[in-house]
């Protein structure tokens, strides 16, 4: 199993290349709509998606608990999708969430602004001003999203295994390049190690979701890191009693693991405005 993630500029043929690649190598193509649907199924209100989904949250939206809940559900949806293997995912910072999987390949599609402008004008029958506005808004939103949720610059080429300029290549040529990269790079050993790693990440995310959503444990920025049958809980709480309860629940739910705390206790800590 291999996991491919796609980052793209608007009008750089990201969706088209992802779909063509999926058909060429027999992988599932999971669209942004699929991820959005799963986030809602997991429990995030559909009417709040527009505040966070692949855009920088507004000032007050970035300070609410909804922001962290969206992030937990997003990570769960991406990890669940990755666990099935042989998949291509597009957008939503999946390339960062899955960055340390040995069977993961991250691709980014770009194109010169002049070419993107002409593509948008043809597709939507827009004038130059309308097309330029769409490019500027899309680029700013995607940069803001990745900065806000991951503190990454999504335009940094070092974050990707391959950056493809679709102003120079057509859809089929780009899909062929990706297929060859997968074939030459992903080995059975990487597939096995990747499956183990994504399973651990998903267990960690699910224990976070359980503590936050089922038990309403008030630990901010909660994460669960798993390594060698040991779970380390990280985050910020305002009392040791909350930490002790979280540890007890995690130990009970995951009795096969050793659970330890790296949670900081800061009295009177308040992450969100009341």
């Amino acid at each position: 199993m291999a996991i491919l993630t796609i980052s793209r500029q608007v009008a750089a043929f990201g969706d088209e290349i992802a779909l063509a690649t999926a058909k060429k190598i027999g992988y599932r193509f999971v669209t942004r709509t699929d991820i959005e649907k799963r986030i809602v199924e997991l429990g995030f209100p559909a009417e709040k998606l527009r505040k966070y989904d692949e855009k920088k949250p507004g000032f007050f939206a970035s300070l609410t608990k909804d922001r962290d809940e969206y992030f937990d559900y997003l990570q769960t949806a991406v990890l669940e999708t990755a666990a099935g293997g042989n998949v291509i995912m597009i957008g939503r910072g999946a390339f960062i969430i899955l960055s340390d999987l040995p069977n993961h390949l991250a691709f980014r599609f770009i194109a010169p602004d002049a070419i993107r402008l002409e593509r948008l004008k043809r597709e939507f029958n827009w004038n130059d001003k309308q097309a330029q506005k769409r490019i500027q808004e899309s680029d700013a939103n995607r940069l803001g999203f990745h900065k806000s949720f991951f503190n990454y610059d999504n335009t940094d080429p070092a974050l990707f295994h391959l950056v493809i300029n679709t102003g120079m290549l057509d859809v089929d040529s780009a899909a062929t390049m990706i297929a060859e990269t997968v074939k030459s790079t992903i080995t059975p050993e990487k597939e096995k190690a990747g499956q183990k790693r994504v399973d651990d990440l998903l267990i960690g995310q699910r224990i976070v979701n359980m503590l936050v959503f089922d038990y309403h444990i008030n630990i901010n920025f909660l994460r669960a890191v798993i390594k060698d049958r040991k779970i380390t809980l990280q985050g910020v709480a305002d009392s040791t009693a909350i930490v002790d309860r979280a540890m007890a629940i995690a130990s009970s739910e995951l009795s096969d693991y050793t659970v330890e705390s790296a949670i900081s206790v800061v009295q009177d800590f308040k992450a969100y405005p009341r």
Side-chain angles (χ1 to χ4, degrees):
M1 57 164 273
I3 300 160
L4 312 185
T5 55
I6 304 296
S7 172
R8 77 285 189 219
Q9 293 180 320
V10 67
F13 289 157
D15 292 81
E16 293 87 344
I17 295 170
L19 179 58
T21 303
K23 291 179 178 178
K24 193 177 289 286
I25 62 178
Y27 277 30
R28 293 177 295 138
F29 174 36
V30 176
T31 67
R32 59 173 291 174
T33 303
D34 296 326
I35 295 296
E36 289 172 357
K37 181 180 178 181
R38 183 58 183 150
I39 289 171
V40 172
E41 288 174 349
L42 287 165
F44 194 75
E47 64 273 13
K48 294 181 179 181
L49 268 180
R50 62 181 180 83
K51 293 182 181 180
Y52 304 99
D53 217 30
E54 207 160 70
K55 64 186 293 186
K56 180 181 179 179
F59 176 75
F60 289 107
S62 68
L63 296 177
T64 66
K65 208 168 186 67
D66 287 343
R67 184 259 188 206
D68 286 351
E69 290 182 0
Y70 167 81
F71 192 44
D72 284 334
Y73 287 133
L74 168 64
Q75 292 183 102
T76 303
V78 169
L79 291 169
E80 285 180 345
T81 302
N86 292 352
V87 64
I88 301 175
M89 278 181 275
I90 194 161
R92 303 300 176 279
F95 73 94
I96 301 170
I97 296 170
L98 306 173
S99 61
D100 67 343
L101 300 185
N103 61 332
H104 165 241
L105 289 172
F107 300 91
R108 179 163 172 80
F109 303 124
I110 63 171
D113 284 355
I115 292 177
R116 294 200 287 157
L117 191 79
E118 291 304 317
R119 288 172 179 171
L120 288 171
K121 286 167 63 179
R122 286 196 304 269
E123 181 177 357
F124 297 105
N125 195 28
W126 284 344
N127 59 34
D128 283 353
K129 184 176 180 180
Q130 290 171 310
Q132 188 61 48
K133 181 180 179 182
R134 174 68 176 123
I135 288 172
Q136 291 172 345
E137 288 179 345
S138 177
D139 289 354
N141 276 333
R142 290 175 182 177
L143 178 62
F145 173 84
H146 290 86
K147 283 282 191 179
S148 176
F149 285 100
F150 304 100
N151 197 28
Y152 277 84
D153 181 346
N154 66 309
T155 67
D156 181 357
L159 298 174
F160 305 95
H161 298 97
L162 186 63
V163 178
I164 298 176
N165 186 336
T166 67
M168 302 176 63
L169 294 173
D170 61 23
V171 170
D172 188 65
S173 297
T176 298
M177 184 180 294
I178 294 172
E180 290 300 319
T181 302
V182 174
K183 182 179 178 181
S184 63
T185 304
I186 303 300
T187 64
E189 292 75 19
K190 288 181 179 180
E191 291 178 349
K192 183 177 180 180
Q195 183 67 62
K196 174 64 169 63
R197 181 62 183 142
V198 77
D199 288 346
D200 282 346
L201 288 170
L202 192 51
I203 290 171
Q205 187 60 51
R206 284 173 172 163
I207 196 65
V208 167
N209 292 354
M210 181 182 298
L211 291 170
V212 172
F213 302 127
D214 297 340
Y215 289 93
H216 306 290
I217 301 295
N218 188 25
I219 299 175
N220 294 286
F221 320 119
L222 182 61
R223 291 186 63 218
V225 179
I226 297 181
K227 185 176 181 181
D228 300 329
R229 310 300 294 179
K230 180 174 73 174
I231 299 176
T232 303
L233 298 181
Q234 302 174 347
V236 182
D238 63 5
S239 77
T240 56
I242 291 174
V243 176
D244 290 344
R245 185 167 181 236
M247 292 287 290
I249 293 169
S251 297
S252 174
E253 295 289 345
L254 297 171
S255 57
D256 292 339
Y257 290 79
T258 299
V259 181
E260 63 179 31
S261 173
I263 299 170
S264 300
V265 176
V266 181
Q267 300 229 344
D268 299 322
F269 176 80
K270 297 290 183 290
Y272 310 105
R274 294 186 182 277

